[in-house]
Amino acid sequence: MSDPSSPTAPFATLDAAPAVVFRRGLVLTMDDAHTVLHSGDVLVVGHTIEAVGHHLEVPEGTAEIDASGGILLPGMIDTHRHMWQTALRGYGADWTLTQYFVWNYLEHGKKFRPEDCYAGNLLSAIEALDSGVTTSVDWSHGLSTIDHADAAVDALEEVPGRFVFGYGNIHSAPWEWSTSADFLSFVERRMPRTDMLGLQLAFDVTGDPEFPEKTAFEAARELGAPVTTHAGVWGATNDNGIRLMHEHGFMTEQTVYVHAATLSDDSYQRIAATGGHASVSAESEASCGQGYPSSWALRRHGIPISLSVDTSVWWSADPFAAMRATLSSDRTREHLEAHARGDTVTHIALRAEHVVEYATRGGARALGLDGVVGSLEPGKRADVVLIKNDESPAMFPIVNPYGHVVFQAQRGDVHTVLVDGRVVKYGGHLVGIDLSRARQAVEGTVEHLRRALGEQEWIAGMRPNIPESKVLDNPYTYTEYRNAPGEPAPEQTGTES
């Protein structure tokens, strides 16, 4: 049996092996019972998880990865990521949602060429794998032409990940593009609808009482494609949109409601009753104004939750940050609600274990892939992540494995990633992926957009005006604080002039 766990061992040994076994890891199976195996093994044969247990017998020639001191978990799943925007990583760090809408929808979104969608998708897809996200929904709403769509899918097909292509176009009405001959031809040409590349239709419902989006929902139904929609976004999508979807019979178990942050109890109840899923982007919701991160409200109504990172134009594409933000914002809300009632929270409702579930199994359920991925169980596809970093003082001791994943680990601790049985990251390094190609493509996009906007507009986009604010008048002064009641004033020194 070969042992390529040494950093000096050639990767070819691992790549050519008929099977791979992870040995002696702390295994978070994320099965229905949330079974945790200490010093457990996971055997992968071909595309499939063959066995999970202790001291597994393996086929001759199996490559062994030493997972001791690390945590094994299913590949994480992101149910909403605007991958095409990744070339502008961090550009809108100080935007509000309004500024994002103005920049993309009204001013500069159409300046993205097909090659720019390709560049963003390529970099985002690679970054997802590097951070342990093995399945990503590309919420691709910048597809102003079919050439843009072809370029976006070209990028996804170059990266050995699992993707769902959420086709959208913010520059055209969904009832127009979803029924066009070009779009239907594209679906037939490029969308095989496998568990490696799926299809969603990505569009929003404004709440217009005429419900013009009905045509787009009918197109999705005709294609057998689920709908993913930004719902409950302050100032953009509201309860009327949910009501219209429900009254016309377009809320299904396959529908994914992104954010769902500013909805009424009635809307949440409609989502719950029809079996829909939510995609929570807590960093996004907390920062740019869709509404308070929604997991607290979703839990109250029994709506299944998955996680997403939204867009790198603002935040990182880090699933660990997404888990942390979700847990922190949910607990903050729980405390605030209790304090408003004069109560104290003595036992937290949302646990780290639950959030790891959202990041894995929750995403699989939302995408209809629960029978395929989302847990480490025999018969499922081998999407496996090993979190291990022997050089990090934050990676030991591992006492509470779920808490460690959420609050201690980071994407730099992702040691090994398998997608469909293929090793795409090993020893902390991407395997068989040309990062320089992505860098060159993205540099071309940045250069193009900077030139197209002009230097003044380019800088202004990154530095929106800060509104004036006033610090509250303070009735206390430092000298009054120092002169407590009953104490003499300090003696003055120096001479008078």
Side-chain angles (χ1 to χ4, degrees), residues 88-96 99 287 312-315 461-462 464:
L88 285 185
R89 183 193 307 283
Y91 180 85
D94 297 317
W95 281 351
T96 62
Q99 288 160 336
S287 179
S312 292
V313 80
W314 264 296
W315 309 283
M462 282 189 288

Side-chain angles (χ1 to χ4, degrees), residues 2 30 33 52 76 95 126 137 143 199 233 238 403 439 467 482 484:
S2 60
M30 305 314 297
V52 179
M76 289 174 278
W95 281 351
I126 293 170
V137 172
L143 307 179
L199 174 68
V233 174
N238 54 36
R439 181 180 288 109
R482 292 297 301 267

Side-chain angles (χ1 to χ4, degrees), residues 312-440:
S312 292
V313 80
W314 264 296
W315 309 283
S316 75
D318 184 350
F320 300 95
M323 287 187 281
R324 275 192 284 273
T326 302
L327 200 60
S328 296
S329 60
D330 192 294
R331 289 176 173 180
T332 300
R333 181 69 180 269
E334 188 173 1
H335 286 298
L336 286 173
E337 293 289 332
H339 296 172
R341 300 189 304 268
D343 293 338
T344 298
V345 175
T346 59
H347 292 77
I348 287 291
L350 187 65
R351 305 300 177 93
E353 181 176 350
H354 301 144
V355 177
V356 176
E357 163 100 3
Y358 298 164
T360 54
R361 198 81 182 270
R365 293 188 181 109
L367 302 179
L369 293 172
D370 191 39
V372 180
V373 293
S375 60
L376 300 180
E377 297 181 86
K380 285 198 171 183
R381 294 290 194 167
D383 290 8
V384 185
V385 171
L386 170 61
I387 301 171
K388 175 178 174 173
N389 186 349
D390 293 338
E391 303 301 317
S392 171
M395 281 303 295
F396 66 90
I398 298 174
V399 179
N400 176 343
Y402 294 109
H404 208 102
V405 169
V406 175
F407 282 126
Q408 308 301 322
Q410 54 185 311
R411 58 181 170 181
D413 299 321
V414 175
H415 179 283
T416 301
V417 179
L418 271 64
V419 180
D420 211 46
R422 176 178 175 178
V423 180
V424 299
K425 185 176 185 180
Y426 175 73
H429 299 282
L430 291 165
V431 173
I433 291 174
D434 187 358
L435 192 58
S436 64
R437 177 176 171 82
R439 181 180 288 109
Q440 183 178 13

Side-chain angles (χ1 to χ4, degrees), residues 151-176:
V153 174
D154 285 345
L156 299 183
E157 289 182 340
E158 287 187 25
V159 179
R162 199 180 298 276
F163 302 102
V164 175
F165 189 58
Y167 191 107
N169 180 2
I170 57 177
H171 305 294
S172 175
W175 52 91
E176 295 173 347

Side-chain angles (χ1 to χ4, degrees), residues 184-472:
L184 297 174
S185 174
F186 167 83
V187 172
E188 185 175 351
R189 285 188 298 108
R190 300 302 303 270
M191 291 287 102
R193 248 79 76 77
T194 67
D195 59 35
M196 293 301 295
L197 182 60
L199 174 68
Q200 291 178 330
L201 266 60
F203 61 87
D204 297 339
V205 182
T206 63
D208 182 338
E210 297 298 319
F211 194 43
E213 297 87 1
K214 178 174 183 288
T215 302
F217 279 105
E218 291 171 340
R221 181 173 288 174
E222 184 71 21
L223 290 169
V227 169
T228 176
T229 184
H230 293 107
V233 174
W234 180 263
T237 55
N238 54 36
D239 294 311
N240 286 332
I242 298 294
R243 177 181 56 79
L244 289 165
M245 290 172 62
H246 189 250
E247 290 175 352
H248 288 84
F250 292 117
M251 295 178 73
T252 74
E253 294 179 355
Q254 293 181 304
T255 308
V256 177
Y257 304 86
V258 178
H259 301 307
T262 51
L263 296 174
S264 66
D265 284 346
D266 181 75
S267 290
Y268 288 126
Q269 287 161 354
R270 293 177 193 255
I271 294 172
T274 53
H277 296 255
S279 179
V280 174
S281 304
E283 276 195 325
S284 173
E285 292 136 17
S287 179
C288 69
Q290 294 95 334
Y292 195 91
S294 54
S295 62
W296 182 86
L298 296 165
R299 290 192 296 107
R300 292 176 64 230
H301 294 89
I303 297 171
I305 296 172
S306 63
L307 300 186
S308 59
V309 301
D310 202 345
T311 171
S312 292
V313 80
W314 264 296
W315 309 283
S316 75
D318 184 350
F320 300 95
M323 287 187 281
R324 275 192 284 273
T326 302
L327 200 60
S328 296
S329 60
D330 192 294
R331 289 176 173 180
T332 300
R333 181 69 180 269
E334 188 173 1
H335 286 298
L336 286 173
E337 293 289 332
H339 296 172
R341 300 189 304 268
D343 293 338
T344 298
V345 175
T346 59
H347 292 77
I348 287 291
L350 187 65
R351 305 300 177 93
E353 181 176 350
H354 301 144
V355 177
V356 176
E357 163 100 3
Y358 298 164
T360 54
R361 198 81 182 270
R365 293 188 181 109
L367 302 179
L369 293 172
D370 191 39
V372 180
V373 293
S375 60
L376 300 180
E377 297 181 86
K380 285 198 171 183
R381 294 290 194 167
D383 290 8
V384 185
V385 171
L386 170 61
I387 301 171
K388 175 178 174 173
N389 186 349
D390 293 338
E391 303 301 317
S392 171
M395 281 303 295
F396 66 90
I398 298 174
V399 179
N400 176 343
Y402 294 109
H404 208 102
V405 169
V406 175
F407 282 126
Q408 308 301 322
Q410 54 185 311
R411 58 181 170 181
D413 299 321
V414 175
H415 179 283
T416 301
V417 179
L418 271 64
V419 180
D420 211 46
R422 176 178 175 178
V423 180
V424 299
K425 185 176 185 180
Y426 175 73
H429 299 282
L430 291 165
V431 173
I433 291 174
D434 187 358
L435 192 58
S436 64
R437 177 176 171 82
R439 181 180 288 109
Q440 183 178 13
V442 165
E443 287 173 350
T445 291
V446 172
E447 181 181 352
H448 158 70
L449 291 173
R450 193 163 189 160
R451 185 172 58 249
L453 270 67
E455 193 64 16
Q456 184 174 351
E457 184 68 20
W458 172 263
I459 293 173
M462 282 189 288
R463 298 182 63 82
N465 293 331
I466 300 174
E468 291 185 10
S469 60
K470 184 180 184 300
V471 175
L472 293 176

Side-chain angles (χ1 to χ4, degrees), residues 64-207:
E64 180 175 313
I65 296 175
D66 179 10
S68 60
I71 300 172
L72 285 160
L73 70 158
M76 289 174 278
I77 298 171
D78 186 326
T79 54
H80 160 243
R81 182 184 298 216
H82 302 299
M83 300 175 73
W84 64 284
Q85 297 175 342
T86 306
L88 285 185
R89 183 193 307 283
Y91 180 85
D94 297 317
W95 281 351
T96 62
L97 190 62
T98 299
Q99 288 160 336
Y100 170 82
F101 284 155
V102 169
W103 201 95
N104 279 297
Y105 287 54
L106 302 179
E107 293 181 342
H108 304 303
K110 278 199 170 183
K111 293 183 173 70
F112 282 77
R113 307 161 300 177
E115 55 262 47
D116 302 321
C117 285
Y118 169 87
N121 270 29
L122 184 64
L123 181 57
S124 184
I126 293 170
E127 182 180 20
L129 296 184
D130 187 60
S131 64
V133 174
T134 54
T135 302
S136 299
V137 172
D138 176 21
W139 223 100
S140 198
H141 61 345
L143 307 179
S144 54
T145 71
I146 292 299
D147 289 341
H148 287 74
D150 276 315
V153 174
D154 285 345
L156 299 183
E157 289 182 340
E158 287 187 25
V159 179
R162 199 180 298 276
F163 302 102
V164 175
F165 189 58
Y167 191 107
N169 180 2
I170 57 177
H171 305 294
S172 175
W175 52 91
E176 295 173 347
W177 62 255
S178 65
T179 58
S180 70
D182 282 348
F183 168 70
L184 297 174
S185 174
F186 167 83
V187 172
E188 185 175 351
R189 285 188 298 108
R190 300 302 303 270
M191 291 287 102
R193 248 79 76 77
T194 67
D195 59 35
M196 293 301 295
L197 182 60
L199 174 68
Q200 291 178 330
L201 266 60
F203 61 87
D204 297 339
V205 182
T206 63

